[in-house]
Amino acid sequence: MAEPNTDLPGDRLLAYLALSPSIAILILLVAVPMVTVFAMSMQHISLGELSGPFVGLRNFERVLADPAFLNALGNTFVWVFGSVAIEMALGLGIALLLNIDFRMRGIARAVILTPYLIPTVVAVLTWHYMFNDIIGVLNYLLMAVGLISQPLLWLNSTSMAMFSVILVGVWKFFPFVVIALMGILQAIPQEQYEAADIDGASALQKFWRITLPHIMPVFLLTALLRTIWTFHKFDIIYLMTGGGPIDATTTLPVLVYQQGFVDFALGRAAATAIITFAILGVLLAVYLHLMKRAEARQ
């Protein structure tokens, strides 16, 4: 016997009315800025102007042919994948350690989460003093133990600046990975580990056969979020180095700022922002494919 149709027009109208404020906010905060940026990318427009001459795809051609863009693109990939790879590896290792039952585990968890709670400006200012080649504590400690014979130019060397920025980013945001992975680790049934112990499985085998399959969807989702957030991260790099020295740490977000608010070329800045968005879309598609494969294996 067929069930009666309870989906009445009035119910649908009520649902649409309930969703309309959220839809309006999304249109205001997402759709309108995206359309505005896309329109700006098609114009020759400077800072302070509402519109400019239509130039079509010329801004995109200029951006893609600009050596500064190619340099920023390479720096962005080094910054993003270097930071995310270390954050995920470090976060997984610490999450596994904090998942073990030991005394004062709660205090250890609180201490690990501290960097994530510190405001970015405060963290960057602190690290700036620590990196100082004259009064910095890092050079002092490394020279005290004999690892270096002269101070390192952490932020003023083209070979060290990106590593220094990545170090700060990893320190600031790896607690997010720890938080995400600890939640899923605590949800794994302990009976599976007990059965593995009875079968004589080693710690590596239990990690590979039990832990990793359970945490993989959350692991990939966390990596996706950290990739997106790191890709358009601006404040740490700009406050630490301003994109220098000699553009050694200029990433795409920093380049967009320079094009728009230093060179006053808002059209090229908008084109660079759209290209950045397209790259993130490709990365999102790759991660979603990997997540579907991980979920299918469970």
Side-chain angles (χ1 to χ4, degrees), residues 88 215-225 287 290-291 294:
M88 297 306 299
I215 70 172
M216 186 54 68
V218 175
F219 185 88
L220 291 176
L221 178 60
T222 305
L224 169 62
L225 294 175
Y287 272 112
L290 294 175
M291 287 181 62

Side-chain angles (χ1 to χ4, degrees), residues 75-76 79-80 83-84 87 116 118-121 124 165 168-170 172-173 225-240 243 249-257 276 280:
N75 288 339
T76 301
W79 154 248
V80 171
S83 299
V84 173
E87 287 174 18
Y116 196 64
I118 298 177
T120 300
V121 174
V124 168
V165 172
V168 176
V170 169
K172 182 74 173 69
F173 295 107
L225 294 175
R226 287 302 310 140
T227 299
I228 294 174
W229 295 339
T230 307
F231 206 97
H232 61 67
K233 197 67 179 173
F234 171 80
D235 50 3
I236 287 182
I237 295 179
Y238 186 77
L239 292 173
M240 290 291 295
T249 58
T250 299
T251 57
L252 290 177
V254 176
L255 180 64
V256 170
Y257 172 83
T276 303
L280 278 174

Side-chain angles (χ1 to χ4, degrees), residues 242-277:
I246 319 178
D247 296 331
T249 58
T250 299
T251 57
L252 290 177
V254 176
L255 180 64
V256 170
Y257 172 83
Q258 293 175 348
Q259 291 173 336
F261 298 99
V262 177
D263 300 335
F264 305 127
L266 292 186
R268 283 192 291 128
T272 305
I274 291 177
I275 295 173
T276 303
F277 176 77

Side-chain angles (χ1 to χ4, degrees), residues 1 41 71 77 109 281:
M1 181 178 178
S41 69
N71 174 71
F77 279 110
R109 290 178 175 178

Side-chain angles (χ1 to χ4, degrees), residues 52 68 80 101 115 119 127 135 153 158-161 164 241 258-259 290:
V80 171
D101 189 14
W127 277 95
I135 62 173
L153 302 177
T158 55
S159 60
M160 291 289 297
S164 303
T241 64
Q258 293 175 348
Q259 291 173 336
L290 294 175

